[in-house]
Amino acid sequence: SKGAFLIYPSTKLTSISESTLKESVDVASAIKQSFVAMGFQDRRNGTDSSISGHTLAVLRQTEMRSVLSEIGYMSNSEDLSKITDPVFQKAMAKGIADKIRAYFGY
């Protein structure tokens, strides 16, 4: 496997409101732009249907907007060279933070 993707809460969660789910999806879409800009393949259109937000405790046990990002695979040499590079790490973190700030108007 290679690439990066985002997981957000599932519609199967009853504790999350529709507006919170929509915000989570919107933020995930914005963050995905950072992944593509940093050279990651748009894996499965940026989501992974085999891993659902209702199966992961970090997303299942919150009622707020949330996104879980998977940035590269250590088992993939191309991804590994990116994610172990300190310059890349800082640029990726800044790209994600900038997208979140822009989404919320900061």
Side-chain angles (χ1 to χ4, degrees):
S1 294
K2 72 181 246 180
F5 64 96
L6 293 126
I7 305 166
Y8 41 81
S10 168
T11 56
K12 295 180 182 180
L13 295 173
T14 56
S15 62
I16 193 166
S17 71
E18 283 297 317
S19 63
T20 299
L21 177 61
K22 182 181 178 335
E23 276 196 322
S24 296
V25 173
D26 290 346
V27 171
S29 295
I31 293 172
K32 183 173 74 168
Q33 296 170 7
S34 292
F35 292 173
V36 174
M38 294 297 292
F40 279 108
Q41 178 182 348
D42 189 354
R43 184 171 169 256
R44 296 188 191 180
N45 295 321
T47 62
D48 190 331
S49 59
S50 68
I51 302 173
S52 176
H54 76 279
T55 62
L56 300 171
V58 69
L59 296 177
R60 185 181 66 240
Q61 295 179 351
T62 184
E63 294 179 8
M64 67 185 87
R65 55 194 170 249
S66 53
V67 175
L68 175 67
S69 61
E70 300 261 337
I71 305 171
Y73 285 81
M74 293 177 66
S75 58
N76 180 283
S77 60
E78 186 180 330
D79 284 1
L80 184 60
S81 68
K82 289 179 184 178
I83 61 178
T84 57
D85 176 4
V87 174
F88 176 87
Q89 292 170 2
K90 287 183 181 185
M92 178 59 79
K94 182 178 181 336
I96 292 170
D98 288 348
K99 293 295 182 186
I100 292 170
R101 275 191 218 100
Y103 179 83
F104 290 105
Y106 297 124

